[in-house]
Amino acid sequence: MYSFDIERPKSVADAVAALGADEAQPIAGGQTLIPTLKQRLASPSKLVALSGIEEMKYVRRDGDTLVIGGGTTHGTIARETAEHFPGLAGLAARIGDPAVRNRGTIGGSIANNDPSACYPSAALACGATIVTDKREIAADDYFQGMFMTALEEGEIVTEIRFPIPEKSAYMKFEQIASRFPLVGVFVAKFADKVGVGVTGASNDGVFRWSEAEQALGSNFAADAVSGLTAPDASDMISDLHGTGAYRAHLVGVMTKRAVAAAS
Amino acid sequence: MPKDHGIGASTKRREDVRFLTGTGNYTDDINVYGQAYVHFLRSDVAHGTINGIDTAAAEAMPGVLHIFTGKDFEAVGGIPCGWQVTDRFGQPMKEPKHPVLAHGKVRHVGDPICAVVAETLEQARDAAEAIELDIDELPAVVNMAKALEDGATLVHDDLGDNLCYDWGFVEENKEAVDEAIKNAAHVTTLELVNNRVVPNPMEPRVAIGDFNAASGDSTLYTTSQNPHVIRLLMGAFVLGIPEHKLRVVAPDVGGGFGSKIYHYAEEALCTFAAKALKRPVKWTSTRSEAFMSDAHGRDHVTTIELALDADHKFTAVRTSTLANMGAYLSTFAPSVPTWLHGTLMAGNYTTPLVYCNVRAVFTNTVPVDAYRGAGRPEATYQLERVIDKAARELGVDPIEIRRKNFVTEFPYQTPVAVEYDSGDFHRLMDKLEAAADFGGFAARRAESEKKGMLRGLGINCFIEACGIAPSNLVGQLGARAGLYESATVRVNATGGLVVMTGSHSHGQGHETVFPQVISEMTGLEEHMVEIEHGDTANTPMGMGTYGSRSIAVGGSAMVRATEKIINKMKKIAAHLMEAAEGDIELKDGSFSVAGTDKSVAWGDVCLAAYVPHNYPLEDIEPGLEETAFYDPANFTYPAGAYACEVEVDPETGKVRIDRFTTADDFGNVMNPMIVDGQVHGGLAQGIGQALLENSTYDPETGQLLSASYMDYAMPRADDVPFFKVDHTNGTPCTHNPLGVKGCGEAGAIGSTPTVVNAVVDAVQSGGHKHVTHIDMPLTPGRVWAAMNG
């Protein structure tokens, strides 16, 4: 990797200040950024490590909402959301391996918006709110395509607020090499609606499968998905690991299985 | 009671103490005082003309000692090829020059262009980025069939085309085979791809060159399976260093699977640079470099036809194969699709007529060479797949059709040159049928179907030629080397014994198993025996480890040397006890006179040899050190019968291997635990190839698309089941002293067709009768597409 300066602020305010420098880049666990740096594919002059900011590490319940600090690791989320939000706990528990889960953070994942990241599907399905150092952004407005978000330069994801569904589950079909989701579907059933977030599949990044949401809204059963037309294969990613048609098909299969598994 | 020492005991691996406690000594653990570091600037295009290389700015950067380019190697040889194949028309294969650093053209992504030597690795990398390359990208040729078309882009302009050779075997049988196929009651045809894989040993390659200016000696530390071979190839053919001035050390090596047999450009560069710069020079491959510079494996496209008579007896096999050589000929590449492949096309069967045509092709891809099994997995895969397809077409049981055609009398002269010395294929199948519980399959299938899963059962038989190889035979076939093995056995004055073997352990367990054999022969406890290997300075000229040859060839050399030692010690013992030499017996570590109570301890004989005060100096020399070279009389022929049960998820195409059962004939088994481990590893590798691994190039640009573990899928623990392996009651090899056949490659050879046969069975059980074949790897997407195609 190229050499760079690193700062380790202790507060969000200090982090925001540090990120004001030219070519400064936040590092929030580094599970994507460190491999990129090692390959010399990025050359930030300064890294601002968010891992020392204790005020961004928490999981707490606030009425019908689960509130998670942006600096919380997948491992912590897997443990601490298990009681109130098992669907999200199950998602977090199956990200990467223990080393990844103990370094990687939800804020880093949400900010990077990798098209194969797991959390964005949950955020969309639940209608989560992404909180930054500056503002609150609805999930529907936040995710704007592969690696694209509503974040501005230097803006930090400090918190994610998930409305807690009655029932939920995440089903991912793993790409055989990376074991990132080839297709991952998060299904969240609320009293008045059902959310279906799909990751890994689309050329446009994470998306809501609205046809399935409507069908499941009136009948929350795996069979309700069976009659639906799969998303348009031409909009799906086609690569070494699967054609667009295969991914489109898997969206249906994983949605059904998530509905069946929802608890 | 199982034995607790000697041959047949499951002695725990002594080398694991250091491997598991982080105290091994791998090449990258070696740091030579004053060493500089090399970074290779590699081609990022698959094919291009080098117009110019401007290193001026890079040379001026901090810490840079020198930047080597292809021009620096004009005066030395290219990387040599160790096997010359003669084509169908009696002509030698085309053998393009393989420069140490690219010269004139780059021919694959990863082809090294410059070597930057600097005080630190980071400085070398920084400088490499400042090198200005002027390369005109040329169209890349990736697909083998397209490479052979008229007007195809030429990988090597001077060759005129991309065909390395057009080989036929058995050429004299060609017409008879054609006739037999024309007249057959049934012919089954199958086109298949044997997918290209990246070997991926856990330890990437490393090379350290060192030069002693006072003595003029060069030393190369390298991750090699055969340091003597590297010394000979690099010294004699590339750099012009005589062997007595060149030492090659391959210390602990973390896996090879074939990829560390070959002599690589990086080794020559580091040795050359150390002498030129009077500085030790170290290179450690990154994993990314390994993907684009380690020789790949397999990559065959084959059409096979199997002819049967009305009784379902096989009457002929005809194959046509395109074999990818990559951009240059790696050390043993030409032998893999030919002599290591065509000679196994009779398999376990009495097929009287075989004809294989193999066209080897140059492409703009990483060179391809032997990978665990090397040619034999490719032979087994196509043969066992086509037999399975024939059984399905004819509606007969896949086991019965195999049994009907088994070779049953040994020795058996095949129609493809080799003679099987021993075997019992029916017994292997009997054992498999019992161990795999075929009787319970229907119930298990019903259970799977209740869960919505499709269950399939796959069967496979195989035979391989190991214990490579009789030198005079392989010489006739084009090998430019002998394939004997060597051992020096030294007994010290205090009684301990050291074996210096030409075999090389890179995970196999020689340090444990070889002492077991010595213990059996001498009665010494195993801890009295030490094994040294991997350093040309203290081991006799050896050919190294590959082709499941260590115990069969290296072990035989050790036995011969030990016999010489024992004979000499008997002479000394006879002198000490004033008895006739012929009356001396060695038992439990002491020498006794037959029929008497007179004996002398092992240690006393050793002491007498080194302190020869009371010693027959007029008849024998002092000391106890003997060397033997063993050249095998034949290959060895391990064989097996494998069964696999899979569950296929019809909605996603995902394959899960539920059961995998093996019955192997390895001849006599030295250490059952280690043999189990070798089989487990081979099966995991074969399952990896069958289900997961695929080295994929962009067909247009020649870019390696699967260039990291993000896209190249290695098998993990949860991809394989608990294996049920058996290797008891093998039929001993008839021509080596231990009766051993070798076990390193069997799992990788036998597993791929077993898995694919099982998946086809599962998919067909789901009503997808049109699916008669799916090409490896059987990824979920491919299986789903096959079912829904």
Side-chain angles (χ1 to χ4, degrees):
Chain A
M1 64 179 70
Y2 300 106
S3 49
F4 51 81
D5 294 328
I6 186 157
E7 281 200 42
R8 299 173 186 281
K10 297 284 181 204
S11 69
V12 172
D14 287 350
V16 170
L19 284 167
D22 266 357
E23 290 180 40
Q25 191 172 344
I27 178 165
Q31 298 309 296
T32 301
L33 184 56
I34 295 288
T36 309
L37 293 173
K38 285 170 76 175
Q39 298 270 351
R40 292 190 161 202
L41 295 173
S43 53
S45 59
K46 183 198 273 187
L47 285 186
V48 178
L50 306 183
S51 53
I53 305 175
E54 293 303 318
E55 64 183 292
M56 274 173 46
K57 297 177 185 177
Y58 51 85
V59 174
R60 65 168 186 264
R61 182 165 185 159
D62 183 3
D64 291 338
T65 304
L66 199 73
V67 185
I68 302 177
T72 313
T73 64
H74 316 323
T76 300
I77 293 170
R79 285 189 299 276
E80 297 188 8
T81 66
E83 184 186 348
H84 301 298
F85 194 172
L88 188 67
L91 175 153
R94 284 177 287 140
I95 295 173
D97 57 21
V100 169
R101 292 194 289 275
N102 286 323
R103 294 295 300 173
T105 62
I106 187 170
S109 172
I110 293 277
N112 193 44
N113 192 21
D114 186 297
S116 297
C118 295
Y119 289 119
S121 65
L124 270 188
C126 296
T129 301
I130 315 301
V131 183
T132 75
D133 57 294
K134 294 188 180 131
R135 55 194 169 133
E136 296 180 4
I137 311 170
D140 282 336
D141 299 328
Y142 175 87
F143 298 105
Q144 299 184 349
M146 286 189 184
F147 298 106
M148 308 266 283
T149 68
L151 290 178
E152 292 165 4
E153 199 71 23
E155 194 171 2
I156 299 171
V157 175
T158 56
E159 184 178 281
I160 298 95
R161 294 181 193 151
F162 287 96
I164 301 174
E166 291 174 357
K167 282 181 169 187
S168 66
Y170 178 64
M171 278 288 159
K172 71 173 164 181
F173 191 80
E174 290 172 346
Q175 192 254 59
I176 57 175
S178 67
R179 295 200 173 179
F180 278 53
L182 191 72
V183 170
V185 176
F186 198 97
V187 169
K189 181 189 184 305
F190 294 90
D192 55 344
K193 61 171 185 177
V194 172
V196 178
V198 180
T199 189
S202 171
N203 284 318
D204 296 326
V206 65
F207 70 98
R208 283 172 59 187
W209 188 18
S210 46
E211 291 87 343
E213 290 182 347
Q214 281 163 21
L216 291 166
S218 52
N219 174 21
F220 191 74
D223 286 350
V225 183
S226 297
L228 297 179
T229 310
D232 188 344
S234 65
D235 293 338
M236 300 292 119
I237 298 168
S238 197
D239 63 11
L240 285 188
H241 305 289
T243 59
Y246 183 52
R247 279 186 169 83
H249 165 76
L250 285 178
V251 170
V253 175
M254 291 298 113
T255 302
K256 275 198 298 186
R257 291 183 183 184
V259 171
S263 61
Chain B
M1 271 290 284
K3 290 179 72 173
D4 65 357
H5 70 281
I7 288 175
S10 282
T11 302
K12 289 216 167 69
R13 284 164 43 108
R14 61 169 75 171
E15 45 272 82
D16 284 350
V17 175
R18 66 176 191 278
F19 295 155
L20 298 176
T21 57
T23 52
N25 182 39
Y26 294 92
T27 310
D28 195 46
D29 293 323
I30 296 171
N31 291 295
V32 183
Y33 179 76
Q35 75 193 10
Y37 295 83
V38 189
H39 175 75
F40 286 91
L41 177 63
R42 296 177 184 278
S43 179
D44 59 5
V45 299
H47 196 195
T49 304
I50 304 173
N51 297 320
I53 303 171
D54 184 352
T55 60
E59 300 262 11
M61 289 185 61
V64 175
L65 296 170
H66 192 70
I67 298 175
F68 293 92
T69 68
K71 277 194 176 149
D72 294 304
F73 291 86
E74 281 177 335
V76 304
I79 304 296
C81 180
W83 200 297
Q84 183 183 65
V85 165
T86 301
D87 75 8
R88 291 173 57 200
F89 314 104
Q91 298 302 307
M93 68 188 189
K94 297 195 188 94
E95 196 169 353
K97 187 168 180 187
H98 182 180
V100 175
L101 294 174
H103 197 56
K105 286 215 308 191
V106 290
R107 295 185 173 87
H108 66 85
V109 170
D111 206 357
I113 303 167
C114 298
V116 183
V117 185
E119 296 289 348
T120 72
L121 183 56
E122 289 299 307
Q123 287 172 332
R125 290 184 72 173
D126 288 344
E129 291 179 8
I131 294 172
E132 289 186 28
L133 294 177
D134 178 4
I135 293 180
D136 278 344
E137 191 169 354
L138 296 166
V141 56
V142 175
N143 177 281
M144 287 189 280
K146 284 189 179 163
L148 293 181
E149 287 173 0
D150 285 343
T153 298
L154 296 180
V155 180
H156 298 275
D157 304 284
D158 53 326
L159 299 186
D161 59 31
N162 293 316
L163 181 69
C164 178
Y165 55 74
D166 179 351
W167 183 78
F169 181 68
V170 177
E171 194 63 26
E172 305 81 75
N173 288 349
K174 185 172 187 302
E175 284 176 21
V177 170
D178 291 346
E179 198 63 22
I181 286 174
K182 201 189 297 172
N183 298 327
H186 184 85
V187 178
T188 296
T189 304
L190 183 58
E191 291 176 31
L192 44 76
V193 174
N194 205 299
N195 46 319
R196 183 182 186 113
V197 295
V198 180
N200 280 307
M202 195 179 286
E203 177 206 29
R205 288 188 297 119
V206 182
I208 306 168
D210 192 14
F211 179 70
N212 184 326
S215 66
D217 293 348
S218 292
T219 300
L220 170 69
Y221 302 90
T222 185
T223 47
S224 176
Q225 300 177 213
N226 32 234
H228 290 92
V229 175
I230 302 306
R231 186 180 65 167
L232 181 59
L233 290 175
M234 184 178 78
F237 297 97
V238 187
L239 300 181
I241 306 172
E243 284 168 280
H244 69 287
K245 303 300 280 182
L246 177 59
R247 175 184 172 204
V248 177
V249 184
D252 285 335
V253 173
F257 313 117
S259 72
K260 292 174 182 168
I261 297 172
Y262 325 118
H263 174 41
Y264 286 97
E266 294 88 352
E267 294 169 323
L269 186 288
C270 289
T271 310
F272 182 86
K275 188 171 180 179
L277 303 176
K278 307 286 188 288
R279 286 282 297 272
V281 167
K282 181 173 189 174
W283 169 71
T284 301
S285 173
T286 63
R287 185 60 68 183
S288 304
E289 280 181 290
F291 271 97
M292 55 180 156
S293 69
D294 291 2
H296 291 182
R298 314 286 191 252
D299 204 351
H300 288 190
V301 177
T302 294
T303 301
I304 181 168
E305 296 156 284
L306 173 68
L308 304 93
D309 68 15
D311 273 341
H312 303 154
K313 292 280 281 183
F314 306 154
T315 58
V317 166
R318 181 168 65 190
T319 74
S320 173
T321 290
L322 295 180
N324 204 336
M325 296 285 103
Y328 305 101
L329 291 178
S330 178
T331 308
F332 289 118
S335 68
V336 176
T338 51
W339 298 109
L340 295 177
H341 170 243
T343 49
L344 274 302
M345 285 309 302
N348 307 47
Y349 312 106
T350 55
T351 318
L353 288 166
V354 173
Y355 182 73
C356 306
N357 176 239
V358 178
R359 286 176 292 162
V361 187
F362 293 110
T363 60
N364 292 117
T365 62
V366 174
V368 180
D369 206 329
Y371 168 72
R372 202 170 192 169
R376 293 152 284 165
E378 293 90 325
T380 302
Y381 180 63
Q382 55 188 280
L383 187 60
E384 293 294 321
R385 282 290 302 124
V386 81
I387 292 170
D388 224 62
K389 188 172 181 224
R392 241 170 240 295
E393 287 173 356
L394 296 165
V396 298
D397 182 87
I399 296 173
E400 285 320 305
I401 198 170
R402 286 176 167 88
R403 282 187 182 274
K404 182 170 273 185
N405 287 280
F406 275 161
V407 171
T408 54
E409 308 219 341
F410 297 89
Y412 176 76
Q413 176 60 53
T414 69
V416 277
V418 294
E419 183 183 89
Y420 304 155
D421 63 331
S422 64
D424 189 340
F425 306 144
H426 280 293
R427 186 165 70 176
L428 287 173
M429 188 58 88
D430 292 343
K431 290 171 76 168
L432 183 74
E433 290 201 37
D437 182 29
F438 291 166
F441 174 72
R444 291 192 291 277
R445 173 173 271 177
E447 277 303 305
S448 295
E449 285 172 353
K450 271 192 217 162
K451 296 185 294 179
M453 304 298 266
L454 307 174
R455 182 175 283 261
L457 170 63
I459 304 296
N460 175 56
C461 296
F462 71 95
I463 188 162
E464 47 169 331
C466 293
I468 294 172
S471 294
N472 56 359
L473 173 61
V474 295
Q476 290 167 29
L477 305 181
R480 289 164 167 163
L483 285 167
Y484 49 82
E485 196 47 86
S486 65
T488 294
V489 174
R490 176 187 297 154
V491 184
N492 293 318
T494 49
L497 189 151
V498 182
V499 180
M500 285 144 279
T501 172
S503 294
H504 183 277
S505 180
H506 29 281
Q508 289 84 353
H510 299 169
E511 290 168 46
T512 301
V513 176
F514 283 24
Q516 290 181 250
V517 174
I518 299 282
S519 172
E520 189 78 26
M521 293 179 72
T522 62
L524 288 177
E525 292 187 45
E526 290 164 17
H527 70 82
M528 292 286 285
V529 184
E530 203 66 32
I531 306 299
E532 291 193 5
H533 62 89
D535 185 344
T536 61
N538 62 12
T539 54
M541 173 69 183
M543 295 309 293
T545 288
Y546 39 83
S548 306
R549 70 193 300 273
S550 289
I551 196 69
V553 191
S556 297
M558 178 181 70
V559 168
R560 293 280 187 256
T562 306
E563 285 168 354
K564 290 185 191 180
I565 287 279
I566 291 170
N567 286 340
K568 183 169 181 180
M569 290 180 79
K570 282 182 176 175
K571 281 193 178 120
I572 300 168
H575 173 84
L576 293 175
M577 293 186 283
E578 297 179 342
E581 188 190 323
D583 293 337
I584 305 296
E585 293 173 343
L586 169 60
K587 192 163 184 290
D588 297 332
S590 80
F591 295 90
S592 56
V593 181
T596 74
D597 59 357
K598 283 209 284 190
S599 73
V600 54
W602 173 274
D604 290 332
V605 176
C606 299
L607 195 62
Y610 286 96
V611 187
H613 295 166
N614 173 20
Y615 195 85
L617 285 165
E618 61 283 4
D619 292 331
I620 47 175
E621 297 166 1
L624 289 171
E625 181 159 324
E626 298 287 348
T627 295
F629 285 74
Y630 180 84
D631 205 281
N634 190 355
F635 292 90
T636 63
Y637 299 96
Y642 288 5
C644 170
E645 281 183 36
V646 299
E647 272 190 344
V648 175
D649 181 341
E651 286 191 318
T652 65
K654 187 170 173 59
V655 176
R656 183 182 70 84
I657 298 181
D658 185 49
R659 300 159 71 101
F660 206 111
T661 312
T662 69
D664 275 300
D665 176 358
F666 296 132
N668 294 331
V669 168
M670 302 292 104
N671 180 320
M673 176 196 73
I674 284 180
V675 171
D676 283 356
Q678 287 287 320
V679 176
H680 291 175
L683 293 174
Q685 249 168 332
I687 288 169
Q689 189 189 3
L691 296 183
L692 303 165
E693 298 184 48
N694 203 25
S695 183
T696 311
Y697 282 91
D698 184 293
E700 301 302 322
T701 65
Q703 290 293 324
L704 182 58
L705 301 176
S706 55
S708 80
Y709 292 140
M710 290 298 283
D711 291 303
Y712 189 91
M714 293 291 287
R716 290 173 237 200
D718 63 352
D719 289 313
V720 298
F722 280 94
F723 300 118
K724 190 171 183 183
V725 305
D726 177 88
H727 40 71
T728 55
N729 305 315
T731 58
C733 171
T734 60
H735 57 80
N736 63 36
L738 295 169
V740 290
K741 296 187 175 181
C743 65
E745 296 161 295
I749 293 170
S751 47
T752 54
T754 320
V755 171
V756 179
N757 289 347
V759 172
V760 170
D761 186 53
V763 168
Q764 290 222 347
S765 79
H768 306 282
K769 295 290 182 193
H770 67 286
V771 180
T772 57
H773 178 69
I774 309 172
D775 272 325
M776 300 188 291
L778 304 184
T779 60
R782 286 190 181 190
V783 175
W784 178 82
M787 287 189 290
N788 292 281

